[in-house]
Amino acid sequence: MISSSAYGSNTWELLVIVDHQCEEEQKEFTLRVTGDLHIGGVMLKLVEQIKVSQDWSDYALWWEQKKCWLLKTHWTLDKCGVQADAKLLFTTQHKMLRLRLPNMKTVRLKVSFSSVVFKAVSDICKILNIRRSEELSLLKQSEDTLRKKKKKDKNNKEVVTEDILNLCNSPTSSGLSASPGLYSKTMTPTYDPISGTPASSTITWFSDSPLTEQNCSILAFSHHNCSPETLAEMYQPRTLADKAKLNAGWLDSSRSLMEQGVLEDDQLLLRFKYYTFFDLNPKYDAVRINQIYEQARWAILLEEIDCTEEEMLIFAALQYHVSKLSSSSETQDFTNESEVDEVEAALSNLEVTLEGGKSSNILEDITDIPKLADYLRLVRPRRLSIKTIKPYWFVFKDTSISYFKNKESGQGEPIEKLNLKGCEVVPDVNVAAKKFGIKLLIPVAAGMNEVYLRCDNENQYARWMAASVLASKGKTMADSSYHPEVHKILSFLKMKNWTMSPQAASDPESIDMKPECFVSLRYTKKYKSKQLAARILEAHQNVSQMPLVEAKLRFIQAWQSLPEFGLSYYIVRFKGSKKEDVLGVSYNRLIRIDIATGDPITTWRFSTMKQWNVNWEIRQVGIEFDQNVSIAFTCLSADCKIIHEHIGGYIFLSTRSKDHNESLDEELFHKLTGGQE
């Protein structure tokens, strides 16, 4: 027999605070436990002692000092390292969170604070009906943004209460599985692919989701345009260093919200973190397309990405068009007036799938080695800003450009041969001035070699530009994406080529247009309102017949064609360097950029990457590439885990395939982004 004193020496007191709504009830409880008691046993003891009858299934133990959840209920207190000095909180795993979406609307919904962020974002996207959740993540607002907001609130005594969309009755919030965020190829379309409205035959799909028709409308349509005053009050990055600050707030995808200091009812930003929009389909992705469009729109309005004046007017014209269609009663009408027979539509889709689209001369494409040969002008920058422009005979074959003195000498040795693999391709176009230029930044041992090519017309430019873009990725013109790329460039140039019609100037709707809502502040300061309206209406002539969803997709495509598209910036210091540099992370490459001038110094392609890791002691990221090239850097503008996850995330997304079942390999994501911490 063991004496009571001996028995008592093995037990100790554990303090647990219970987070429940009953104000009258006791909050602190002291349990007498032993080190070999498992976590499940602790919770059972606690619930018996509380004596409040309620559903405790969503509750779990949170260890405040260690900032971790005790979710492995079969582990003992000894194994977890819990001792008598520990203070545990017995609290719900799902809590309310406010999320600011890309369209600047705020939704309030219940989210798991105990799941890793990758899983929490997946659940959020199921509620919001956004496919491909792996492209999004959660972002804490930067201090500069919040500082600007506080200043604004001090200036405005009357603070306008924000309109919040409450989705707290979501299936996920009650622990149930939500509607599938991924769809099979045979699923019935959820949206009308032309107008983006929910298809009437599948409106019942929303019955198990908080997304009613009205809520779906809020998420799938652009509803308001901001005033110049609102735009002026928002944080606008001026320099590369400012742009780098925007990426400092990304949450760690392999840790939970609670572990990262997020509290109940905090506000976070839900944003597209990875700019590889896989399998965009208007039939299923009305919300996703609209949110991508909105993120692109705000990036342009706040000048987070640079564009020319001509491009800004195209973006303004498309915004104006989307705004007109979104506010018109025809678009918002959910009755299916133009209903197409679903069986007929399904058969026609099947026919296209089986035939593989229109693919003429397949054998010819395979046997012929694609080649471009034409006279182009080579622009060489000289000292004192004097340029020399000379015509040469250029030949584009595989991934290289060679140029000769004339066509006759084209069979001999070229003056120079330029290998475009891994280079940066920057458009230099002004359609109104008939300027069609291609700027090539070719990596060499000393840095980047700049080459400017001038084309004579739109068609020549589209062919050479498309070939250059593909060559930079290591692809030739034999690739199936060459002709669509040419078509995309031509359609973008066509949008830029406009002339003012008298009808547009006298359009009664133009009187109500507020042009300041569609351009960045730089242009509202440069032009008068009437001048801007006239120029936007000129550009609108080329897009005025587009349906709503197509206009949004065109906007996204135009955004994707900008030279800086998809670059996320971080301030870093490379090993062996005394000065700071900017590292641009894109979907297929890393770019070292001079922080003072903004000029690219070196580019490294992911396709040549062999391995990457983190030295956690000195917080240094190391990457090895082919041909014994290795780099190492420390991140100064954010935690090194953030930039490591950004790189690993892009590698993970490159493994996606339409052939696979659309389930995500979460384990692979954490393996590629975790840095073997």
Side-chain angles (χ1 to χ4, degrees):
M1 294 288 290
I2 302 169
S3 67
S4 59
S5 59
Y7 177 77
S9 64
N10 290 331
T11 65
W12 40 276
E13 290 186 342
L14 178 65
L15 180 67
V16 183
I17 298 162
V18 179
D19 179 21
H20 61 66
Q21 304 305 315
C22 306
E23 292 297 326
E24 313 83 45
E25 296 296 330
Q26 183 185 346
K27 294 276 185 181
E28 287 191 9
F29 292 86
T30 305
L31 305 177
R32 184 153 285 280
V33 296
T34 59
D36 59 1
L37 180 65
H38 54 76
I39 300 298
V42 174
M43 291 196 289
L44 189 64
K45 263 193 172 196
L46 183 63
V47 171
E48 286 171 354
Q49 204 168 315
I50 295 170
K51 294 175 184 173
V52 173
S53 57
Q54 71 169 70
D55 182 4
W56 298 100
S57 60
D58 190 41
Y59 278 68
L61 290 169
W62 166 257
W63 189 357
E64 186 57 48
Q65 293 106 314
K66 296 275 184 179
K67 297 281 182 207
C68 69
W69 287 94
L70 303 177
L71 297 174
K72 292 178 177 170
T73 52
H74 59 285
W75 278 27
T76 62
L77 291 170
D78 282 344
K79 191 171 182 180
C80 293
V82 176
Q83 295 176 342
D85 61 344
K87 283 185 182 177
L88 302 184
L89 177 68
F90 191 51
T91 185
T92 52
Q93 295 176 66
H94 289 83
K95 299 177 187 292
M96 297 308 293
L97 188 68
R98 286 176 299 128
L99 288 178
R100 198 106 192 262
L101 303 182
N103 67 345
M104 299 299 174
K105 288 280 181 188
T106 302
V107 296
R108 193 166 178 267
L109 68 173
K110 267 196 176 176
V111 178
S112 172
F113 273 56
S114 62
S115 300
V116 295
V117 165
F118 186 84
K119 178 74 172 66
V121 170
S122 175
D123 290 341
I124 289 164
C125 288
K126 283 174 184 172
I127 297 168
L128 301 177
N129 194 24
I130 297 174
R131 290 198 308 153
R132 304 291 174 188
S133 63
E134 67 275 14
E135 294 167 359
L136 298 96
S137 194
L138 298 174
L139 184 68
K140 276 186 180 174
Q141 280 183 293
S142 68
E143 287 178 17
D144 295 278
T145 315
L146 295 168
R147 216 176 285 141
K148 192 148 190 180
K149 260 192 173 179
K150 282 174 188 170
K151 275 186 189 174
K152 181 186 82 175
D153 292 344
K154 279 180 187 175
N155 297 338
N156 295 349
K157 290 180 182 177
E158 293 178 27
V159 179
V160 182
T161 52
E162 193 177 10
D163 184 25
I164 295 176
L165 178 63
N166 211 329
L167 301 179
C168 55
N169 299 321
S170 65
T172 317
S173 65
S174 53
L176 303 170
S177 60
S179 318
L182 302 168
Y183 309 102
S184 68
K185 293 181 176 69
T186 54
M187 182 178 165
T188 316
T190 318
Y191 300 98
D192 184 305
I194 307 299
S195 66
T197 56
S200 62
S201 57
T202 56
I203 203 67
T204 51
W205 184 85
F206 295 105
S207 60
D208 65 342
S209 160
L211 278 183
T212 59
E213 288 181 35
Q214 186 186 356
N215 291 346
C216 170
S217 164
I218 290 168
L219 299 179
F221 289 96
S222 296
H223 286 270
H224 68 284
N225 293 299
C226 69
S227 63
E229 293 76 30
T230 312
L231 205 58
E233 285 160 357
M234 296 176 79
Y235 177 69
Q236 295 183 44
R238 298 292 178 201
T239 62
L240 280 175
D242 289 343
K243 290 176 183 179
K245 286 175 189 172
L246 299 173
N247 291 303
W250 288 114
L251 294 188
D252 185 340
S253 295
S254 48
R255 292 165 65 213
S256 69
L257 290 170
M258 200 98 153
E259 287 170 319
Q260 297 180 71
V262 179
L263 304 174
E264 184 163 15
D265 223 33
D266 273 2
Q267 179 164 293
L268 296 174
L269 309 179
L270 180 70
R271 293 288 183 269
F272 288 89
K273 179 179 181 179
Y274 301 102
Y275 297 95
T276 48
F277 310 122
F278 189 70
D279 188 26
L280 267 185
N281 191 330
K283 291 179 184 176
Y284 311 126
D285 290 327
V287 174
R288 183 175 167 218
I289 288 168
N290 187 56
Q291 296 300 330
I292 294 171
Y293 160 76
E294 286 286 348
Q295 186 160 325
R297 188 170 81 88
W298 284 104
I300 284 154
L301 290 177
L302 297 173
E303 296 188 20
E304 289 172 14
I305 185 168
D306 290 337
C307 65
T308 64
E309 187 172 312
E310 200 172 43
E311 287 161 346
M312 180 63 79
L313 290 168
I314 289 170
F315 288 124
L318 284 165
Q319 285 178 73
Y320 172 58
H321 188 60
V322 168
S323 171
K324 265 176 71 175
L325 292 181
S326 297
S327 59
S328 67
S329 57
E330 297 94 54
T331 306
Q332 296 291 7
D333 185 8
F334 283 101
T335 58
N336 201 358
E337 290 171 9
S338 58
E339 191 169 354
V340 181
D341 184 77
E342 286 178 18
V343 177
E344 193 180 315
L347 285 171
S348 99
N349 281 342
L350 182 63
E351 191 181 329
V352 171
T353 310
L354 292 173
E355 288 177 3
K358 293 178 182 176
S359 51
S360 56
N361 304 327
I362 294 171
L363 286 172
E364 189 184 314
D365 288 347
I366 294 168
T367 53
D368 283 4
I369 299 167
K371 187 171 91 169
L372 287 177
D374 213 337
Y375 277 106
L376 302 179
R377 281 163 294 160
L378 183 67
V379 183
R380 288 196 181 280
R382 299 286 187 196
R383 286 180 187 176
L384 305 173
S385 302
I386 299 168
K387 292 178 181 176
T388 58
I389 304 174
K390 271 189 175 182
Y392 290 97
W393 179 255
F394 280 81
V395 176
F396 200 131
K397 195 169 182 183
D398 294 331
T399 58
S400 299
I401 290 180
S402 306
Y403 64 94
F404 307 83
K405 192 174 180 181
N406 49 43
K407 187 176 180 180
E408 289 69 37
S409 57
Q411 300 302 318
E413 278 294 309
I415 298 168
E416 191 178 4
K417 187 175 181 179
L418 308 167
N419 185 6
L420 269 53
K421 204 171 178 182
C423 80
E424 293 297 310
V425 184
V426 183
D428 183 19
V429 174
N430 186 327
V431 176
K434 300 291 180 190
K435 179 186 174 185
F436 303 101
I438 302 169
K439 182 180 174 182
L440 301 171
L441 299 169
I442 301 164
V444 289
M448 294 291 230
N449 179 22
E450 287 191 15
V451 177
Y452 292 83
L453 304 180
R454 284 270 178 91
C455 301
D456 294 327
N457 53 55
E458 295 178 11
N459 290 321
Q460 189 186 53
Y461 169 79
R463 294 197 306 272
W464 285 81
M465 184 68 182
S468 302
V469 169
L470 261 66
S472 71
K473 300 173 186 175
K475 296 176 181 178
T476 69
M477 286 174 277
D479 193 86
S480 60
S481 61
Y482 173 67
H483 291 293
E485 185 70 27
V486 172
H487 178 71
K488 191 170 88 175
I489 293 166
L490 281 171
S491 65
F492 190 38
L493 291 175
K494 190 183 174 187
M495 280 197 287
K496 287 185 177 185
N497 192 11
W498 61 75
T499 50
M500 184 62 168
S501 69
Q503 186 189 348
S506 60
D507 182 357
E509 290 183 18
S510 67
I511 300 164
D512 301 327
M513 187 214 271
K514 294 177 181 172
E516 300 85 358
C517 300
F518 305 115
V519 295
S520 65
L521 285 173
R522 187 192 309 181
Y523 295 101
T524 56
K525 290 172 184 174
K526 188 175 178 181
Y527 294 106
K528 290 178 181 175
S529 184
K530 279 185 179 178
Q531 289 175 308
L532 268 178
R535 296 194 69 187
I536 291 169
L537 285 167
E538 281 177 36
H540 182 248
Q541 294 299 295
N542 285 336
V543 299
S544 59
Q545 301 305 311
M546 281 184 193
L548 179 58
V549 177
E550 190 190 333
K552 287 180 186 177
L553 288 170
R554 281 294 182 91
F555 190 99
I556 293 165
Q557 282 175 357
W559 175 49
Q560 288 173 318
S561 71
L562 296 177
E564 289 181 15
F565 167 75
L567 280 173
S568 302
Y569 300 102
Y570 294 92
I571 298 171
V572 300
R573 182 176 286 119
F574 280 87
K575 190 178 179 181
S577 174
K578 290 182 180 177
K579 70 184 191 77
E580 296 173 1
D581 282 306
V582 170
L583 189 71
V585 181
S586 182
Y587 73 97
N588 61 354
R589 68 201 188 283
L590 299 174
I591 309 174
R592 184 177 181 175
I593 302 166
D594 188 299
I595 197 166
T597 63
D599 294 335
I601 301 168
T602 321
T603 299
W604 301 280
R605 296 264 157 189
F606 288 157
S607 55
T608 64
M609 191 188 287
K610 287 163 74 177
Q611 66 170 32
W612 71 102
N613 54 57
V614 179
N615 182 333
W616 293 106
E617 286 181 22
I618 57 173
R619 317 296 285 178
Q620 187 180 75
V621 181
I623 308 174
E624 283 183 36
F625 298 92
D626 290 343
Q627 299 175 336
N628 297 322
V629 175
S630 61
I631 59 170
F633 56 83
T634 50
C635 190
L636 307 176
S637 62
D639 190 275
C640 67
K641 174 66 170 72
I642 294 177
I643 192 168
H644 182 276
E645 185 181 303
H646 219 140
I647 295 166
Y650 272 125
I651 304 289
F652 170 74
L653 294 185
S654 69
T655 65
R656 294 183 296 182
S657 166
K658 285 186 183 179
D659 299 334
H660 293 154
N661 184 5
E662 296 190 13
S663 58
L664 277 176
D665 188 346
E666 193 177 332
E667 191 182 332
L668 178 64
F669 175 84
H670 293 303
K671 191 177 176 183
L672 290 171
T673 59
Q676 299 160 357
E677 194 172 356

